[in-house]
Amino acid sequence: MHKFKYYLLLLSLLIARNIKAQQAKHTFALADSVFLLDGKPFQMISGEMHYPRIPREAWRARMKMAKAMGLNTIGTYVFWNLHEPQKGKFDFSGNNDIAEFVKIAQQEGLWVILRPSPYVCAEWEFGGYPYWLQKEKGLVVRSKEAQYLKEYETYIKQVGKILAPLQINHGGNVLMVQIENEYGSFGSDKDYLAINQKMFKEAGFDGLLYTCDPAADLTKGYLPGLLPAVNGLDDPKKVKQLVRENHNGKGPFYIAEWYPAWFDWWGTPHHTVPAEKYAGRLDSVLAAGISINMYMFHGGTTRDFMNGANYKDGTPYEPQISSYDYDAPLDEAGNPTPKFIAFRNVIQKHLAPGVALPAVPAAKPAMAIPAVKLTAAVSILQNLPKPVSSTTPLTFEDLQQDYGYVLYRTQVKGNGKLTIKGLRDYAVVLVNGKTAGTLDRRLNQDSLNLTLPKGSVTLDILVENLGRINFGKYLLQNKKGITGSVMFNNSELKGWQMYSLPMANINQVKFGSTGVNYTSPTLQKGTFNLSKVEDTYFNMSDWGKGVVWINGHNLGRYWRVGPQQTLYVPAEWLKKGRNELVVFDMIKPGNTIVSVDKPILDQVKQ
């Protein structure tokens, strides 16, 4: 008994000592050309990965992979629309627990670069802004407009309560905090940037603050007195020259976003960049003593309707796909790629003599499960909530709806041309409950010729929010749904009923039996049993367009246009025994789901 008590006391002391060591205060400062960690030169070798794009259960495993590639730091944005989805209602739980993400990094011996700017871009819905900002009268994001600054201040103070204590000068592992994000690509108001700095300090971020901008816009986006980091430039000489020109002739030098590849959007080829194209560039940057943050080290998956979109004058609307694989060193499932190995070999060269990297953890196993038969189904028209009535169509924002779908219903007579002005973003048009056609904002489609039965018929328009724009001036014009009038034979249709279908809780859907030949958008459900759990990929290439849920988790969108044809299913969200699968398809419902053990991210279809 005495021995047991002794060992228990010893264990308690070791745990306490370990916790104290983790919480020991360090210093992090700027010298003329290098960063100083505890007074000694420190080169950040960082990689970006975003907590909501990775299942919480896998955060630690991804960080172990980061260490194995040679990273000493992790970069992440903080996403306002996740943490304040409705005005005044904050959520830092579950996969939104950013503080736990940072603490796990510390436990794994990693530093963190924190990017809690209200605007993040990130190929993320509305660039990270919550949809409800558009309901506030007169509010203008990324400006000195009073209402915006008020909401911004409320949010950043909530973030500060949780994350400011994790800064390095308070015993945490957050080295630096970024204000705004690539502001120089949007504006040049230094007073606005100074307000950002003031808010961050008042929220408790009293350590090192910095700005980051693409090279061409850095002069507009940096704030005198803060370190100007550069994005998208990896010529050591040019990086150093640009930073010195804007920082009193001094460094340190930090590439805040170094791109080893790129993201994808629907209907265009998958982007890949060979590892050999960038391994040499990484070598030259590290040899020059420049700190770096790879965007992305690990992309993961953009789920829950949270993908963004790009749009600028003269180009199509470009909604991004659900996979955020990014052709990154760590793939969508968290496995090392040839790029990972190539970069690891480069980083190893620049470590201190005698320092060896950890062994690379084994790749996660993946499996193809037997085909899943969907045994219950219901038309979306049979699952409508109570409608809101209005003379003219209301937007998502008018309906206080963030994401998903809205069904617009009215009555029409005769034959003719249907025109939807301001469609955002994709519509299925139904006549008396049967699909008559589709309209796609990407293709500038806004009209459809309809031949209708005699008498008054029911016209339904199911509209999908395909992702709010996340970059550029059109951030300010981001409402969803039908944002203009609907014309039929040159006459405006009035007298609308609108049904909100955010599909945030799929468990509320009431299913019936299958066997019905549905001619409208359809929800279907099936179950399957597993004796083991491993990653898998649902192959949706024979389906049309929709969303899949596994055990209540939204896996993201699929769309036959590609390039993404599979949806990644993390092992962490599967169960031994019974699993439940739900599919919503807008245009081509099937009745069987097939899975494969490898992703298909490179097949574009017409």
Side-chain angles (χ1 to χ4, degrees):
M1 179 62 71
H2 289 298
K3 281 186 178 180
F4 175 76
K5 288 182 178 179
Y6 170 77
Y7 285 127
L8 190 62
L9 177 62
L10 184 62
L11 179 62
S12 299
L13 289 171
L14 287 172
I15 292 172
R17 190 165 131 193
N18 186 41
I19 292 172
K20 187 175 180 181
Q22 289 177 10
Q23 295 177 341
K25 287 188 179 180
H26 296 270
T27 62
F28 192 68
L30 309 180
D32 286 352
S33 61
V34 295
F35 293 104
L36 295 177
L37 177 62
D38 295 334
K40 298 177 182 178
F42 177 74
Q43 184 176 26
M44 280 183 285
I45 308 176
S46 176
E48 187 96 0
M49 60 183 191
H50 301 147
Y51 55 101
R53 285 175 158 140
I54 309 164
R56 177 181 175 135
E57 302 90 336
W59 287 346
R60 190 179 298 275
R62 302 297 192 271
M63 292 177 186
K64 288 183 183 298
M65 281 289 187
K67 291 261 298 189
M69 199 178 83
L71 303 185
N72 55 31
T73 307
I74 292 295
T76 185
Y77 285 120
V78 183
F79 299 84
W80 187 355
N81 52 14
L82 290 184
H83 298 301
E84 195 180 4
Q86 299 291 340
K87 184 175 179 177
K89 296 180 180 179
F90 291 92
D91 179 9
F92 291 91
S93 64
N95 238 94
N96 293 343
D97 191 351
I98 173 63
E100 182 64 15
F101 182 81
V102 173
K103 290 173 184 176
I104 291 174
Q106 185 173 28
Q107 292 162 15
E108 292 299 323
L110 290 162
W111 303 102
V112 169
I113 295 295
L114 198 64
R115 311 173 75 188
S117 162
Y119 170 71
V120 300
C121 189
E123 291 70 62
W124 194 264
E125 229 274 347
F126 201 5
Y129 284 123
Y131 88 99
W132 54 263
L133 289 179
Q134 297 181 104
K135 298 193 305 166
E136 303 294 317
K137 188 175 181 180
L139 188 147
V140 181
V141 299
R142 305 189 88 179
S143 79
K144 292 182 290 190
E145 188 274 320
Q147 187 68 12
Y148 168 66
L149 293 179
K150 179 184 174 211
E151 302 298 349
Y152 176 172
E153 182 179 26
T154 300
Y155 164 71
I156 204 66
K157 284 184 175 178
Q158 287 289 330
V159 171
K161 288 178 185 177
I162 292 167
L163 294 176
L166 303 182
Q167 295 172 105
I168 188 170
N169 51 320
H170 295 277
N173 58 326
V174 175
L175 296 177
M176 294 198 304
V177 177
Q178 177 188 298
I179 70 165
E180 246 290 349
N181 185 53
E182 298 188 324
Y183 176 69
S185 300
F186 183 85
S188 57
D189 188 339
K190 304 293 184 181
D191 291 338
Y192 167 67
L193 287 173
I195 292 171
N196 278 255
Q197 180 186 25
K198 180 174 181 287
M199 283 190 182
F200 270 60
K201 287 183 175 180
E202 291 176 349
F205 293 111
D206 54 0
L208 281 178
L209 302 178
Y210 75 100
T211 61
C212 82
D213 292 280
D217 302 319
L218 189 143
T219 301
K220 293 189 293 181
Y222 91 101
L223 184 65
L226 299 188
L227 177 70
V230 61
N231 294 352
L233 181 67
D234 58 9
D235 180 315
K237 184 177 179 180
K238 291 180 180 178
V239 169
K240 290 184 176 183
Q241 179 183 350
L242 185 62
V243 173
R244 286 184 178 124
E245 287 174 352
N246 291 280
H247 197 227
N248 298 321
K250 300 177 181 179
F253 311 103
Y254 177 43
I255 302 172
E257 292 186 15
W258 181 71
Y259 307 114
W262 206 241
F263 59 91
D264 293 333
W265 52 95
W266 292 111
T268 60
H270 177 48
H271 293 84
T272 59
V273 179
E276 54 269 22
K277 183 174 180 180
Y278 276 93
R281 296 184 186 187
L282 177 62
D283 193 14
S284 65
V285 165
L286 296 182
I290 295 172
S291 290
I292 193 168
N293 179 52
M294 299 177 190
Y295 193 103
M296 302 288 297
F297 159 68
H298 170 52
T301 312
T302 309
R303 305 178 179 92
D304 292 310
F305 305 113
M306 296 310 292
N307 65 280
N310 279 322
Y311 177 71
K312 58 184 178 181
D313 294 326
T315 64
Y317 167 74
E318 298 172 340
Q320 291 119 19
I321 67 172
S322 296
S323 171
Y324 204 57
D325 178 87
Y326 220 92
D327 191 35
L330 214 59
D331 70 13
E332 184 176 7
N335 295 319
T337 67
K339 193 172 287 181
F340 179 102
I341 301 302
F343 289 178
R344 170 184 159 95
N345 291 338
V346 169
I347 293 169
Q348 178 75 69
K349 288 172 51 181
H350 296 278
L351 299 180
V355 176
L357 292 176
V360 179
K364 296 175 70 181
M367 62 182 179
I369 62 177
V372 180
K373 185 77 172 177
L374 303 177
T375 56
V378 65
S379 165
I380 197 72
L381 302 180
Q382 296 172 304
N383 254 279
L384 297 177
K386 184 178 178 181
V388 173
S389 298
S390 172
T391 302
T392 55
L394 301 177
T395 66
F396 276 53
E397 292 73 19
D398 294 331
L399 296 167
Q400 300 190 48
Q401 182 176 335
D402 44 14
Y403 318 116
Y405 311 83
V406 169
L407 184 86
Y408 295 81
R409 173 173 288 175
T410 192
Q411 304 297 311
V412 295
K413 289 182 181 180
N415 300 321
K417 185 178 182 180
L418 177 75
T419 301
I420 303 175
K421 296 182 178 179
L423 171 64
R424 297 180 180 172
D425 300 297
Y426 186 89
V428 176
V429 179
L430 302 107
V431 174
N432 286 343
K434 295 183 179 181
T435 297
T438 62
L439 298 172
D440 186 346
R441 181 184 179 187
R442 293 178 314 126
L443 307 177
N444 293 318
Q445 296 172 344
D446 65 357
S447 61
L448 188 68
N449 289 316
L450 296 178
T451 301
L452 304 178
K454 290 182 179 180
S456 180
V457 304
T458 299
L459 175 70
D460 288 324
I461 305 172
L462 180 65
V463 177
E464 178 182 13
N465 165 9
L466 270 176
R468 291 182 178 87
I469 295 161
N470 58 262
F471 182 81
K473 68 179 182 179
Y474 286 99
L475 278 172
L476 308 177
Q477 299 174 36
N478 240 337
K479 291 187 176 181
K480 291 297 180 181
I482 297 177
T483 63
S485 58
V486 180
M487 311 295 291
F488 188 60
N489 282 338
N490 297 318
S491 295
E492 184 176 358
L493 293 178
K494 296 187 176 181
W496 292 90
Q497 290 183 310
M498 281 134 296
Y499 301 84
S500 289
L501 300 165
M503 299 215 180
N505 184 359
I506 208 67
N507 296 324
Q508 295 177 345
V509 176
K510 297 177 182 178
F511 289 89
S513 61
T514 56
V516 178
N517 181 22
Y518 288 109
T519 55
S520 61
T522 303
L523 282 150
Q524 295 184 80
K525 181 171 70 173
T527 60
F528 59 97
N529 290 295
L530 293 175
S531 59
K532 65 177 181 178
V533 293
E534 293 179 350
D535 285 352
T536 191
Y537 301 84
F538 290 145
N539 184 354
M540 307 304 296
S541 57
D542 289 335
W543 288 67
K545 184 180 196 306
V547 183
V548 178
W549 292 261
I550 187 72
N551 296 324
H553 295 280
N554 183 325
L555 296 177
R557 308 177 204 255
Y558 64 88
W559 194 355
R560 72 176 307 278
V561 299
Q564 176 182 355
Q565 299 293 345
T566 53
L567 284 170
Y568 169 55
V569 186
E572 292 84 359
W573 289 352
L574 293 170
K575 305 173 185 176
K576 286 185 178 180
R578 184 178 182 273
N579 292 265
E580 183 176 272
L581 171 65
V582 175
V583 184
F584 172 58
D585 197 291
M586 299 179 74
I587 55 178
K588 191 192 172 203
N591 56 20
T592 303
I593 296 290
V594 176
S595 73
V596 291
D597 61 2
K598 291 182 175 62
I600 303 170
L601 300 175
D602 58 357
Q603 291 184 8
V604 177
K605 298 180 180 180
Q606 297 301 319

